[in-house]
Amino acid sequence: MSEAVHNIDPVQPEKKKPSLFKIITSPAEQFSRMKENPTVALPLLIVTAVFAVFGGIFAYTTDFQTLIGDVPADEAVFIEAAEGIMRLTTFISMLFIPVIGSLFAAFVMWIAAKITAGEATFKQLFSLNVFVNLLTGIGLLVNLLIILAFGLDPLQTYTGLTVFFDPLDQVFPLVAMFEVFGIWLLILTVIGLRIVVSMSPAAAWITALIIYAGGSFIAYLSAGL
């Protein structure tokens, strides 16, 4: 009697998903998981919610007429009538910043990966940027709480050197890079590029700095509009 031999494939261990909030406490571990199992939908929803909370509070509490400054009497009537639209527009714009910003940064990283022979899919890069953007949202909320607690200028950032400069100053884009949460995001981005894309330290720093500096400059242009 012959026995039938059955080939049983070994059970593959389930790939762990990266944790969004643990990107703060254990970034290397989360980036390693992201390389194997990138996630986007739920983290993007959470990060967007953080931005939405900031946008809602900022739009509701900020005096837009004060931000605009002195205007002629005939224009003041128009500004007052349009204030509701300005508040709504501010809130809605916050809902799109995480996804647009993450897509743009992922595209830049994708180009850099091609140039440096790095190994990463666009989904991995998009996931990386969604995760690190959590720090941007937290930074916005922290600054807003400081502004509300002490009645400070809502156009300023109080977790960096920009507090000593006018937002429309020519050196503001450069100074804006020296901000606690921004530097934290920069460092996490470099770690992510090293692990997820397998970039060299130099390539990772150059890529992260290009994205970081570009983001600061775009923010400066937006503030001047």
Side-chain angles (χ1 to χ4, degrees), residues 73-196:
D74 55 338
E75 294 183 14
V77 176
F78 172 77
I79 295 297
E80 184 176 354
E83 188 171 353
I85 298 177
M86 295 169 64
R87 294 182 188 278
L88 181 60
T89 302
T90 299
F91 172 72
I92 293 177
S93 64
M94 284 295 123
L95 300 179
F96 292 96
I97 287 178
V99 63
I100 293 175
S102 296
L103 283 172
F104 174 77
F107 180 70
V108 175
M109 289 181 179
W110 180 78
I111 294 175
K114 294 296 182 182
I115 295 174
T116 60
E119 300 177 357
T121 65
F122 190 83
K123 183 178 180 180
Q124 289 172 324
L125 298 175
F126 187 36
S127 178
L128 189 160
N129 283 284
V130 169
F131 273 65
V132 298
N133 261 327
L134 175 65
L135 292 178
T136 302
I138 294 175
L140 289 171
L141 284 175
V142 169
N143 274 283
L144 183 58
L145 291 176
I146 295 174
I147 290 168
L148 295 176
F150 300 98
L152 302 174
D153 182 358
L155 291 181
Q156 280 287 6
T157 301
Y158 295 93
T159 53
L161 297 181
T162 53
V163 67
F164 302 108
F165 294 83
D166 187 289
L168 299 181
D169 196 304
Q170 292 183 350
V171 299
F172 195 84
L174 177 62
V175 177
M177 297 179 64
F178 297 93
E179 191 270 332
V180 173
F181 290 94
I183 294 174
W184 192 356
L185 181 148
L186 175 65
I187 294 172
L188 285 187
T189 302
V190 173
I191 296 173
L193 289 172
R194 295 277 290 124
I195 296 175
V196 178

Side-chain angles (χ1 to χ4, degrees), residues 15-33:
K15 295 179 180 179
K16 294 183 178 180
K17 295 181 179 180
S19 169
L20 178 62
F21 292 103
K22 286 186 178 180
I23 199 73
I24 297 173
T25 58
S26 56
E29 179 182 353
Q30 307 315 312
F31 287 132
S32 296
R33 293 182 180 182

Side-chain angles (χ1 to χ4, degrees), residues 3-22:
E3 294 183 359
V5 178
H6 298 281
N7 293 325
I8 302 175
D9 294 332
V11 178
Q12 296 293 330
E14 184 179 355
K15 295 179 180 179
K16 294 183 178 180
K17 295 181 179 180
S19 169
L20 178 62
F21 292 103
K22 286 186 178 180

